[in-house]
Amino acid sequence: MEEKLKIKLSIADRVYPLTIDPKQEEGLRKAAKNIEILAKKFEQNYAVRDKQDVLAMCALQFASKIEQGGIDRSEGTKAALERLKALNELVHSKLGE
């Protein structure tokens, strides 16, 4: 069993101590960095000063990307199934001749 790793992440001028699996470290650090970058953009572009509002906007941005990705994959899956059905019908019609 791997030892847990203690790290500190800074998000919106607050430090969050975490105890994690070592394999999670890179992903968590990248996520924290992306939140910081997006938060700074929101603060600069929208003159938002309240950190809670900025973090809520970041959460919405990231969550909407995840949801839209799921919608896009679902639509792609539906289109692929329709093409497979059409191919299946074509194969069956040719084999039935």
Side-chain angles (χ1 to χ4, degrees), residues 64-82:
S64 68
K65 284 182 181 180
I66 291 168
E67 291 300 325
Q68 189 60 49
I71 290 168
D72 292 346
R73 280 190 300 279
S74 176
E75 289 173 357
T77 300
K78 287 177 187 175
L81 282 174
E82 290 301 317

Side-chain angles (χ1 to χ4, degrees), residues 5-11 14-19 25 29 32:
L5 181 64
K6 293 184 181 208
I7 64 170
K8 292 180 182 179
L9 295 178
S10 177
I11 301 172
R14 281 194 171 176
V15 176
Y16 296 91
L18 301 171
T19 302
E25 183 180 13
R29 290 196 186 278

Side-chain angles (χ1 to χ4, degrees), residues 7-89:
I7 64 170
K8 292 180 182 179
L9 295 178
S10 177
I11 301 172
D13 299 329
R14 281 194 171 176
V15 176
Y16 296 91
L18 301 171
T19 302
I20 61 165
D21 289 326
K23 62 185 175 192
Q24 294 177 299
E25 183 180 13
E26 183 179 2
L28 286 168
R29 290 196 186 278
K30 284 182 177 181
K33 184 178 179 181
N34 288 335
I35 292 168
E36 283 293 310
I37 290 168
L38 188 58
K40 285 181 184 182
K41 284 183 184 177
F42 281 134
E43 287 175 335
Q44 292 169 351
N45 294 334
Y46 298 105
V48 179
R49 297 288 174 231
D50 184 1
K51 292 291 184 184
Q52 184 172 347
D53 290 339
V54 170
L55 289 174
M57 292 166 67
C58 288
L60 180 61
Q61 178 86 16
F62 289 124
S64 68
K65 284 182 181 180
I66 291 168
E67 291 300 325
Q68 189 60 49
I71 290 168
D72 292 346
R73 280 190 300 279
S74 176
E75 289 173 357
T77 300
K78 287 177 187 175
L81 282 174
E82 290 301 317
R83 289 193 302 271
L84 284 172
K85 284 179 186 177
L87 282 171
N88 191 37
E89 289 173 10

